[in-house]
Amino acid sequence: MQVQGAKLQFPPVQKPYPTLYFGGSSDAALQVAAKHIDVYLTWGEPPDQVAQKIAKVRQLAAEQGRTVRFGIRMHVIVRETTQKA
């Protein structure tokens, strides 16, 4: 999708643009992250899987002459008891 003539009503404080966060595990998603994203987010998967994904994104970003920061997305389910959670 392309947008033409769009304007922000309030310009971003961050320069030159707001930090872009993104997640996805497909090959296409990893390529997008490497080329365009500032912070790549992965799920709270087993540590070896997270390490492999981070290494892959770092490699792809380096091929683009870029570096990417990383974060982990997690959902916390809180209830009064483990059984209720």
Side-chain angles (χ1 to χ4, degrees), residues 11-51:
V13 175
Q14 304 91 339
K15 299 293 181 192
Y17 54 82
T19 302
L20 299 176
Y21 294 81
F22 178 83
S25 296
S26 69
D27 289 336
L30 299 181
Q31 291 289 342
V32 167
K35 189 171 183 179
H36 301 288
I37 301 306
D38 300 307
V39 181
Y40 176 77
L41 301 173
T42 186
W43 288 108
E45 300 167 319
D48 60 325
Q49 289 179 8
V50 172

Side-chain angles (χ1 to χ4, degrees), residues 45-65:
E45 300 167 319
D48 60 325
Q49 289 179 8
V50 172
Q52 289 174 11
K53 200 180 297 184
I54 287 172
K56 180 67 174 177
V57 174
R58 276 194 176 132
Q59 172 193 345
L60 293 170
E63 292 170 7
Q64 298 283 331

